Amino acid sequence: MADRSKAEVIHRLFGVNLEQQGRGFYVPLEMLAIARGVYLAHQEDAEKCAGLLDDGDRVAYKRTSHDLARRIATKAFIAEGNEELSKAVELDSPETLETLHALFSSLLVEIPGRRSQPSWFGAHIYPFVGELIHYDAVDRRIHQRSSSPKKKEQASKLKGQVKVKAPSIERYLFRGGGSWAYKVLRSDPDSERKAATRQGLADLVRDSGTPLGNLAKALSAHDFDYDEKPYEDDSERDIDLYEELSPWPGLLRNGARNIVARTTTPRAKRTESLMHWVPYCLARHQLHLARRKLGFADGESILLDFGNESTPLRSESQKTLASFRNDIANAINVQAREMIHDAEGDEAKQGRYERFTKEAGNAVASPRAFFSETLAAVGALNATGGRRHFTMKPPMLEALVSATVPQDVEMEFDQFCALLYKKYGLVTENKIAAESPLAHEVDSSVLAHNGKAFREKLAAIGLLTQYSDATSMVRGEPR
């Protein structure tokens, strides 16, 4: 009951259940798994299954678990035994299995802040090509007696083992953030932008036909769990986008279109940028909704620190982060009090919401951690713990530029900085800071030095060119 009431409060406030467990890269992994599954289902039966980003009452998609590849990557126990494993992997030489382990372990998504090696179902493969994209799964006890032909076939692979656990496709670490992102893209009111996004996204999720893709596809044919028919997902119906309250669904659409439409950019780089942009947008959406609940009418100003030493700018950035985390907790408190008022006369329901009215505590810790740990995971914070401030590490900075500057467009550096502030509230240098409330908090010379460091960061990753006439031009991809 407590968990359900928590989900009710968080959903009412943010439109989707945002929990620490589903933070960071789990958001785009889920979104791409849905997109890949929709693409596969439509390829198999175009009459019954909607196409990529098509409108409809529900989303139907084929889920691939890649449980075999993930178990090989983490050297997990193979419940089916060597007889079944030998159907997928040549066991005459131990080098084959070791080679596959080395390959797939190198493709696992890094989750910053992990303190221990995850189980196989906590390890996800980076979706560099369409064949590597997969859904969530977890170990579950497989019952030997089942009315389902599929379950009977699965149980037969276990050779009568009792109380053994084996892979089961289901939402475990995925918590709905990816469904939110997919709904944002498929509900785009701009038909031209939506068509461009559909075409670019299809290029990322379709089969690549590469040796790596063929290997992944061959191994997935021997997964323990699989979808016999498309999975019909009703969860998207419960998601509210709150577009009237936040600009971030629209910003996600613009950025995603700019990223996936870069046909001259390698497929893996487009995927990496999308992997960073999508969770960043959801975290900022969460913050914006929290501040709106608290009565803040304007957007958020964020100081990005690109320096290598402690400065008043860094201190202010740290204070802003702490303030935003408090805003999220306080917004949850306010939302809970509103729901208690709405439930007048229902003492049981009021009692369940009561623990969310406190300023701090475990009840608000997980949604608040979703915000800061998501930003840390994608590189929008300097670290996952300790003294943290806003910045942009190279992969996140590449995603930001790719999402902001359309293909075949160049932009003067000062114009680009102005656009970052106008669109996202990001303060990078002294000329922009004059427009922000933060102008009075940090000396102009410190901001000018930060702007220089920002310029150098862009040049280092190949996204800025400095010309002899002192002009600096920013573009969305390396030349």
Side-chain angles (χ1 to χ4, degrees), residues 287 291 300-304 313-327 371 381 388-390 425 438 441-442:
L287 174 63
R291 287 171 57 82
E300 304 77 47
S301 289
I302 294 177
L303 276 170
L304 296 183
L313 185 152
R314 179 166 298 181
S315 298
E316 191 63 33
S317 186
Q318 291 168 345
K319 285 167 52 181
T320 302
L321 174 61
S323 175
F324 287 165
R325 282 170 50 84
N326 287 336
D327 288 342
F371 169 73
L381 297 181
R388 295 184 289 182
H389 58 265
F390 292 102
L438 300 172
E441 307 297 334
V442 182

Side-chain angles (χ1 to χ4, degrees), residues 23-270:
R23 67 195 183 280
F25 291 122
Y26 293 125
V27 175
L29 285 171
E30 181 181 8
M31 186 200 78
L32 287 170
I34 293 171
R36 165 76 174 175
V38 168
Y39 177 82
L40 291 177
H42 184 70
Q43 289 289 104
E44 289 184 10
D45 194 336
E47 291 187 4
K48 290 185 178 180
C49 299
L52 192 61
L53 301 187
D54 283 351
D55 297 326
D57 292 335
R58 62 173 59 180
V59 180
Y61 50 91
K62 293 290 289 287
R63 299 172 299 175
T64 302
S65 70
H66 266 319
D67 61 65
L68 181 57
R70 292 156 71 189
R71 285 182 288 168
I72 291 174
T74 56
K75 293 189 174 181
F77 172 65
I78 307 293
E80 306 93 300
N82 286 344
E83 183 179 342
E84 282 293 326
L85 183 60
S86 65
K87 296 177 182 178
V89 178
E90 178 57 63
L91 296 179
D92 291 345
S93 170
E95 292 182 359
T96 303
L97 203 56
E98 283 298 321
T99 300
L100 289 174
H101 163 70
L103 172 62
F104 285 105
S105 63
S106 71
L107 296 174
L108 296 180
V109 177
E110 181 181 355
I111 305 297
R114 269 186 179 155
R115 296 182 177 86
S116 59
Q117 181 70 21
S119 304
W120 72 265
F121 47 84
H124 291 70
I125 299 171
Y126 213 98
F128 286 118
V129 293
E131 296 93 333
L132 287 174
I133 298 173
H134 60 87
Y135 199 74
D136 213 358
V138 70
D139 270 339
R140 293 293 183 202
R141 186 168 295 173
I142 304 298
H143 298 285
Q144 298 293 328
R145 296 179 181 178
S146 175
S147 58
S148 165
K150 174 193 168 186
K151 293 294 183 183
K152 285 183 178 180
E153 181 183 347
Q154 288 176 307
S156 69
K157 297 178 181 179
L158 303 180
K159 304 299 182 185
Q161 300 177 62
V162 180
K163 296 183 179 180
V164 67
K165 290 184 176 181
S168 172
I169 298 179
E170 59 185 80
R171 179 177 284 171
Y172 178 67
L173 289 169
F174 294 172
R175 290 304 172 103
S179 293
W180 174 87
Y182 188 78
K183 182 173 183 176
V184 168
L185 295 182
R186 88 182 189 105
S187 61
D188 191 348
D190 185 329
S191 58
E192 183 178 344
R193 180 176 59 189
K194 183 177 178 179
T197 304
R198 177 189 290 113
Q199 183 176 346
L201 190 58
D203 189 44
L204 298 185
V205 303
R206 66 164 55 99
D207 285 356
S208 66
T210 61
L212 176 60
N214 292 336
L215 173 61
K217 196 170 184 178
L219 282 179
S220 70
H222 298 276
D223 284 340
F224 187 87
D225 200 6
Y226 52 91
D227 276 345
E228 294 177 290
K229 58 183 181 179
Y231 170 71
E232 294 188 347
D233 191 353
D234 291 327
S235 63
E236 193 188 273
R237 293 179 178 178
D238 299 325
I239 294 174
D240 295 314
L241 299 184
Y242 292 146
E243 294 189 71
E244 71 283 5
L245 300 176
S246 168
W248 283 97
L251 293 172
L252 170 59
R253 292 172 183 138
N254 276 331
R257 185 269 313 276
N258 286 342
I259 289 170
V260 301
R262 295 186 182 279
T263 55
T264 57
T265 300
R267 183 176 185 164
K269 179 59 68 176
R270 280 176 279 158

